[in-house]
Structures are given as C-alpha cells and as structure tokens.
Amino acid sequence: MKKSSFLILVSIMLSITLTATILISCDKKETKNKDLILPQANDDKDDKIVAVLPDKNISEPGTDSDVVENELPPESFVGTVVEEDTYYMVVEPNADEEEYEISKKIRVEYLHDHVDYLYGIGRKVVITYIPPITGGSTITTDDIRHDGFAEFELSVQYRQDSIPARFAEIQYAGLLTLVANNRDFDEDASDYNLYYYGLHDVYVKVDGDTLPLKEALHYGKITLDGLIAGCNWKYPAVSYDDGGSILYSCDGFKILKYHTLDGNRDIYIGTNDMDINAKNATAVCIGAYLWKDWGLRLEARDVSFDGATIVFDPFEADVTGRLQTGEAFWLEKMDGGKWVAVDTLPLIDYAFNMAAYGIDSDGETELRTDWHWLYGALGGGRYRIAKEVMDFRETGDFDKQIYYAYFEKPYGSDYITSDVMTTFSYEEDLEKYSNGNYSIKTDGFINNTMTLNAENTAVAVELAMRELGIDQVSMHSISYWCGINPENGEELHKIVFPGTTWHRFISEDENGNLVMTDNSDGSEIKTPTQTVYLNFDGITRLIVTENVYTNG
C-alpha cells in the first residue's frame, strides 16, 4: 500500500473513532442531567448560557426536534464559593436571595472545563442561569462574574442634604470620609481605599434594589473594580499624566480613580467640584456611622397616611451585644437621583421619647411609627425611613448606625381613573346640596390646620382619603376638580369618592343562623358617594355625603 493511501486510511479511521468518542461523551452527559440537555458549544457562545429542555411530546431520540428552547428569562443571584474544580463549583447563595430558599448550597456545572482558571474559595460571584434549578440543586452555566452585576446605577447624598440637624451627631472635620479598604470585601483583592469627598453617602441601584454602596460591596452585588469598569463606558473621563489617573464626570457627582507612579490606587467619589487634588483634602473617619453587617434588614409594611409598621428582621446577626432601637426617625425622598431630607411641618417643635426597644434576634420585631404629626401627608414618590440601631453591650459601651426601610407612595393621579375636570362652580355645588339628598359637614375635621403645601393633586387626594378614613389600596376610581370659593377667593380641591352598590341575600348557615351574603338575586345595598373640599393649605372645608336608602 502506498504511503499516501495508508495516511488517508489512518485519517479516516481516526475521524470515525473521534466521532464515536464525542457521541459517547454526549450520551453520558445526557444521562447525568436528564432534565437538562446541553448542546455542544460553539465559538460564538463560549461565554453564553446554553441550555435546552426536552420536548415531552417527542419520543424518538436523535432528531433535531428532540429538544425545544427554554423560553424562561435568565435569573441571577450572588453566592459565596465554598468548593470548586475546573468543571464545577458549589456556592452558598446570599441569605437575601430567592435561591437561598431553594437550597443553602447549589452546584454549578460549567459548559467548558476551566482548566486555566479558578474563582477562589470564599469569593463572592454573580451567577446567571436559566431556571429552574434542577437535578438536586444543580444548574449549568458559564455566565459567572467575580466583579458584581454589570448593570447598576449610582446616586449620591450630599452632606447638606443628609440627616436633619437635630439628629446629626457626626461632626465632620474635613471633606473626606474613609469608607473602606478594598480587601474588606475580598481578602485576595488589591489593596486600596475608598473615600467619599463632600458626601454623606453613596447608593447603588442593583439587582432590583437600592442599597448603600458599602452594603452592596459587602454582599458582592458590585465590586470596586466592576464600578470602575462600568465608568469606562458609562461616563466621560479626563486622563492625567501622573501614571494613569482618571476622573469620571457622572450625573451630579464625580469618580476619581488614582493610578499614580508612587503606587496610589485609591478611589474617590465626590461632589462636582472634586478634582485631581482630592487626596490632599482633610480626611475624617466616621466609623460609628459606616454601615456594618449586623445581619439586619428593615422593611416598611402597612404604609398608610399616618405612618408604617417598621419590621426589623435579623438573620445571621453578627453583633457583640444586643440590638436596640428607639422612637427617633426621619424621612428622606428620592429627588433628582439623590436622597433629600423631607421638610418637617412649619412652626413645630418636637422631641422623641428616650425609649429603647429590643430587637429580637430570633424573629421579626415590629414597631409602628407615626409620621403624620411631624411631616403631614406625603405626596407620591419613593421614600425611605431612617432608624438608628445600637449594638448595645452596656451603659456607655455601644456602637450605633443608621438603617433604612424603603417604600413608595402612589401619586394622587394614580388613584384617579375617571376623567379629570379642571374647574367646578362652588356656588352651583352648594345649591345642589340644599335639596335634602345630601348631608353636609362643615367642621370637626381632622385636617384642621395647615398640614403641607397641598397645591398638587397627590397631596390633596391623600389628605381627602385621610379625612374619610379610607385605605389607599382600596380606591381606584376617584374624580378630581379644582375651583375657587367666590366668597373669599380661596382655591379649592374637590375630590369625589364614588359609592358602591351590591345586593344581599339572606340565608341560613349550618347552625341555623341567618346570615347575609352577596348575591345578585337579593335586595340592593348602597354605600354613599362622598365629596371632600379642601384648600391648598391642606385644610378641609366641606364634606358632602349622598343620602342613600336600602331597598327591602
């Protein structure tokens, strides 16, 4: 046999052998993960999630129609690497992740053998996968990031916009605040500091939530290296010839990443007037007010006109004493990308009781907080309530810091689904109400003093609902008008809350008692339509209730 013919024959035999090996390998993979069939990756999808689910309607294997694409959107979570090899890792999801409720440990199998790279035991990683989690808490993906979520938004809080003066116990000695060292979040990371320049705090909106930047860094939702990588394409920058320092101009603030010849690699986040000389400013450490991981989360529940129930939920608490809180609080509102303290009512002098409430370490602790007496009615928007929490060891020996619970208030227009009329005749309304079909109330109101500037619909609707004692979540068809009282030229809001009609049906229950249930065959029941008139100072002037009658 000629040498060339022999080589061709050997080549064909090797190709057949290699094909058989690949088929056997794929068959083993399918047996290992019966609910997740993985196609061979190609060069265009090396860093993508590749997964398809079996088509239950097809029984013949080996055809292209054997599988269908999974149409579920990808999910992401942050976890800590506790075990890893070149072809898998085991992670513990963060306790605040939904995946934590599914499994305390999740096995992540790679699409490719990571022969040249390991993430590192103890490192926080962001894992994106196609749900559901299958095969006994196992997912398959190569979409794993060690620098946090790629998508995030930063906002800052200036010192002058931070907590009200009567609450402020921090005396700033200079422009700079030493926030943290990069190794506080990853002991194997580069050694450099994070500073705030002229700022009270920095917040990041990431993974569907808004958190203080230091908290997000601690939980691995973002990293300082990832932050700078994001700046490289999000914001315009100025480079310096000191070794490579860069100053990024953001929306309302700046970020400075030093890269000097003498080895300075620090990051500064500061006001718009910050420049390359920021490192020369006077620094101060406000350690007691820097965010610490005490394993505590706050949530605002049952938000109403008067206040909310603040829920303290500790998990894996890392404290040296007992967690406590008091009655003091303040409100802040998101305005123009930053948190701004809400103005208290004018001409009001106030103080909080010096009470201390223990926070249960084994379950939720609820504390009802009333803010209407201090702030009046809140307009629509995104808010947070600040509470001071202490890690109390003994008298004179404690740490304290601020925690926030976030909530949203609908705008007045969110309640109004009927057509909005811009004007009404106050005189014509009064004449209509004089025919005996209405009851009129002119005094004894809850909103009897100037509460808040109520020129906008949002505040007016909330005040009217408060006056009638109506729960905001149950109203969806309010009508609104604006007009003038001709007697004194006073501008007035007119808000109409329509009545409802249903039918009743009398029957006997299993014990022979007569009960009333809703039924279209029964007699008609009505609740009255109520109309509230209030002025632009938030003072109620008139309530009109339609007289209704029950048939049968």
Side-chain angles (χ1 to χ4, degrees):
M1 183 180 292
K2 293 183 179 180
K3 183 177 181 181
S4 58
S5 299
F6 174 77
L7 291 176
I8 292 173
L9 178 59
V10 171
S11 176
I12 293 173
M13 292 177 67
L14 287 175
S15 298
I16 296 173
T17 303
L18 179 59
T19 302
T21 302
I22 292 175
L23 290 174
I24 293 172
S25 175
C26 290
D27 181 64
K28 289 182 179 179
K29 187 68 176 180
E30 292 174 5
T31 303
K32 183 178 181 181
N33 298 291
K34 292 182 178 179
D35 11 337
L36 191 64
I37 300 175
L38 303 175
Q40 295 178 2
N42 55 53
D43 294 338
D44 296 332
K45 295 185 177 181
D46 282 350
D47 297 324
K48 306 296 183 182
I49 306 171
V50 182
V52 290
L53 297 178
D55 187 344
K56 297 180 181 179
N57 297 321
I58 299 177
S59 58
E60 288 187 11
T63 64
D64 292 339
S65 59
D66 226 6
V67 294
V68 294
E69 293 188 2
N70 185 0
E71 297 181 354
L72 292 174
E75 298 283 352
S76 301
F77 69 94
V78 181
T80 303
V81 180
V82 296
E83 180 183 340
E84 68 174 338
D85 203 332
T86 60
Y87 55 89
Y88 80 95
M89 69 166 57
V90 177
V91 297
E92 293 181 346
N94 283 1
D96 61 340
E97 299 281 4
E98 292 182 359
E99 287 76 7
Y100 182 83
E101 302 299 327
I102 300 174
S103 178
K104 302 302 183 288
K105 290 186 178 181
I106 296 176
R107 179 184 175 94
V108 182
E109 296 184 349
Y110 308 142
L111 294 171
H112 309 286
D113 189 351
H114 293 194
V115 64
D116 296 323
Y117 183 78
L118 294 177
Y119 291 88
I121 304 297
R123 196 171 205 178
K124 294 283 189 181
V125 291
V126 176
I127 297 172
T128 302
Y129 67 99
I130 296 178
I133 296 178
T134 62
S137 303
T138 298
I139 57 180
T140 304
T141 181
D142 267 339
D143 195 338
I144 304 171
R145 298 178 58 94
H146 64 271
D147 55 355
F149 286 93
E151 296 296 326
F152 60 86
E153 296 180 10
L154 292 178
S155 60
V156 301
Q157 183 180 35
Y158 299 106
R159 286 183 179 171
Q160 63 268 28
D161 296 327
S162 60
I163 61 179
R166 69 176 61 224
F167 298 104
E169 298 181 13
I170 305 171
Q171 299 297 321
Y172 293 103
L175 280 172
L176 295 185
T177 298
L178 173 60
V179 180
N181 185 276
N182 192 38
R183 287 184 175 174
D184 293 343
F185 315 112
D186 183 352
E187 61 183 14
D188 297 322
S190 302
D191 183 10
Y192 60 84
N193 291 326
L194 170 66
Y195 291 91
Y196 293 161
Y197 178 98
L199 301 177
H200 173 66
D201 212 340
V202 177
Y203 301 91
V204 56
K205 183 177 181 181
V206 60
D207 193 24
D209 200 1
T210 300
L211 304 169
L213 176 58
K214 188 175 180 182
E215 183 175 347
L217 288 167
H218 174 84
Y219 283 102
K221 293 181 180 294
I222 189 174
T223 66
L224 290 175
D225 291 338
L227 186 153
I228 296 302
C231 290
N232 285 330
W233 58 271
K234 285 185 177 181
Y235 309 116
V238 176
S239 300
Y240 294 86
D241 59 2
D242 59 351
S245 298
I246 303 178
L247 182 65
Y248 300 96
S249 296
C250 312
D251 184 15
F253 60 97
K254 291 183 177 180
I255 298 177
L256 174 60
K257 178 66 171 87
Y258 278 110
H259 193 287
T260 63
L261 296 176
D262 61 3
N264 187 348
R265 300 294 185 267
D266 294 337
I267 293 178
Y268 290 70
I269 304 177
T271 56
N272 275 329
D273 59 354
M274 183 178 70
D275 57 25
I276 193 64
N277 298 311
K279 63 182 179 180
N280 300 322
T282 305
V284 56
C285 180
I286 56 170
Y289 273 82
L290 294 179
W291 186 87
K292 297 183 180 67
D293 182 20
W294 286 347
L296 184 65
R297 292 291 179 274
L298 270 61
E299 180 183 355
R301 297 179 185 170
D302 303 325
V303 179
S304 66
F305 305 104
D306 297 328
T309 298
I310 308 304
V311 179
F312 300 81
D313 184 13
F315 61 89
E316 300 179 1
D318 183 16
V319 296
T320 57
R322 302 185 309 276
L323 291 181
Q324 296 181 350
T325 190
E327 292 189 358
F329 70 92
W330 68 87
L331 294 177
E332 298 178 1
K333 183 178 182 180
M334 180 63 73
D335 184 9
K338 61 182 181 180
W339 291 103
V340 179
V342 178
D343 291 334
T344 58
L345 296 176
L347 305 178
I348 184 172
D349 191 17
Y350 61 95
F352 293 100
N353 294 326
M354 300 300 292
Y357 304 98
I359 298 174
D360 190 353
S361 61
D362 297 325
E364 294 182 348
T365 300
E366 296 185 353
L367 182 64
R368 185 65 190 180
T369 301
D370 176 16
W371 60 60
H372 192 273
W373 63 273
L374 183 58
Y375 292 99
L378 301 181
R382 179 167 172 77
Y383 292 87
R384 65 181 186 179
I385 182 169
K387 294 289 295 183
E388 187 177 70
V389 178
M390 290 190 296
D391 180 4
F392 184 84
R393 292 173 288 274
E394 59 181 50
T395 303
D397 182 15
F398 56 85
D399 296 319
K400 58 183 177 181
Q401 60 186 342
I402 305 301
Y403 278 83
Y404 297 95
Y406 297 83
F407 62 94
E408 292 190 18
K409 294 286 289 179
Y411 290 90
S413 57
D414 294 340
Y415 298 112
I416 301 173
T417 59
S418 60
D419 294 336
V420 177
M421 298 183 65
T422 56
T423 61
F424 70 95
S425 170
Y426 189 70
E427 289 180 314
E428 291 180 3
D429 282 2
L430 290 180
E431 181 178 354
K432 180 181 66 175
Y433 301 145
S434 64
N435 61 15
N437 294 327
Y438 303 89
S439 298
I440 296 177
K441 180 179 179 180
T442 58
D443 56 21
F445 301 124
I446 296 175
N447 304 320
N448 54 17
T449 58
M450 179 178 173
T451 304
L452 193 67
N453 187 316
E455 293 183 4
N456 63 75
T457 309
V459 176
V461 170
E462 294 232 3
L463 286 173
M465 294 171 70
R466 176 177 180 267
E467 187 71 70
L468 298 178
I470 298 175
D471 187 348
Q472 61 181 21
V473 299
S474 64
M475 300 307 301
H476 300 287
S477 57
I478 299 171
S479 299
Y480 167 82
W481 289 263
C482 182
I484 296 178
N485 183 350
E487 294 182 358
N488 53 19
E490 186 178 49
E491 293 181 291
L492 294 174
H493 299 284
K494 172 185 175 182
I495 302 113
V496 179
F497 300 84
T500 58
T501 301
W502 74 93
H503 296 80
R504 66 181 181 181
F505 179 74
I506 305 299
S507 63
E508 291 186 2
D509 62 15
E510 59 184 5
N511 298 319
N513 299 318
L514 294 178
V515 295
M516 184 179 74
T517 59
D518 292 351
N519 189 287
S520 59
D521 295 331
S523 57
E524 188 177 84
I525 300 293
K526 286 186 177 180
T527 56
T529 295
Q530 293 182 287
T531 304
V532 178
Y533 295 79
L534 50 86
N535 65 15
F536 282 20
D537 288 332
I539 300 174
T540 303
R541 294 302 191 194
L542 178 68
I543 296 179
V544 178
T545 303
E546 181 184 11
N547 292 328
V548 297
Y549 305 95
T550 300
N551 298 325

